[in-house]
Amino acid sequence: MKRSVLVLVILVIAAGAGRSGAVTPPLGIRGGYTSWESVNQFHFGGHVKLGDLFPNVALTPNLELGFGDNTTVVAVNGDLVYRFTELANAPWGPYAGGCLSFIFVDVSGAGSDTDLGLSGVLGTTYALSGGNEVFAEVRLGIMDSTGFKFTVVYTFF
């Protein structure tokens, strides 16, 4: 199971690096707070910004690892978001969308479980000089996903 998650992450990062065409792949780091049921965790990870599939619609797969309350969570997320450019006031850029996740949960002494989850995403980006971005987002679980997640992200472009 863990090997298949690692292989999936490597493939996603390689695909993002190949599509980029830039010297530096569009990668980012992310971290924040997760809460669902009786579990409270700190999570961190990374993402690859694959670009627009359609005008204002972006695909940003990411990997997050959560630790806390004797539980480890590995989430491979496929974020698909719409950027509201008509509402944007530079350097801010609001977005909203959804996420299909492959979630592996390991509870110390109680076993592990794997699930496919669905969540909603709402956030805003802030463009920095030099082309980098900082953004904050809230993720709310819809089906078989973490209940609430707040994440801050820094993207290297």
Side-chain angles (χ1 to χ4, degrees):
M1 168 51 85
K2 291 180 183 179
R3 188 177 307 161
S4 62
V5 170
L6 179 62
V7 168
L8 180 61
V9 170
I10 290 169
L11 289 174
V12 166
I13 290 172
R19 279 188 58 159
S20 140
V23 175
T24 304
L27 302 174
I29 57 173
R30 46 198 310 120
Y33 170 77
T34 304
S35 175
W36 105 89
E37 296 176 7
S38 62
V39 177
N40 295 299
Q41 295 188 319
F42 170 74
H43 67 268
F44 69 93
H47 72 256
V48 178
K49 193 167 186 181
L50 295 182
D52 287 357
L53 299 175
F54 306 102
N56 294 342
V57 177
L59 178 62
T60 308
N62 60 78
L63 170 73
E64 294 177 337
L65 307 171
F67 300 98
D69 284 347
N70 298 316
T71 304
T72 303
V73 176
V74 177
V76 179
N77 304 309
D79 293 2
L80 187 63
V81 298
Y82 179 82
R83 290 186 323 275
F84 295 99
T85 55
E86 63 278 3
L87 301 176
N89 189 8
W92 295 97
Y95 63 91
C99 171
L100 185 62
S101 303
F102 176 75
I103 303 169
F104 173 76
V105 179
D106 184 19
V107 180
S108 295
S112 62
D113 190 22
T114 304
D115 223 333
L116 193 61
L118 183 65
S119 57
V121 178
L122 179 66
T124 187
T125 62
Y126 184 83
L128 301 171
S129 61
N132 299 343
E133 289 179 326
V134 173
F135 55 97
E137 67 183 26
V138 171
R139 209 176 279 267
L140 299 174
I142 296 171
M143 181 182 71
D144 297 328
S145 188
T146 54
F148 171 82
K149 189 179 279 192
F150 175 76
T151 306
V152 175
V153 182
Y154 181 79
T155 299
F156 307 98
F157 289 152

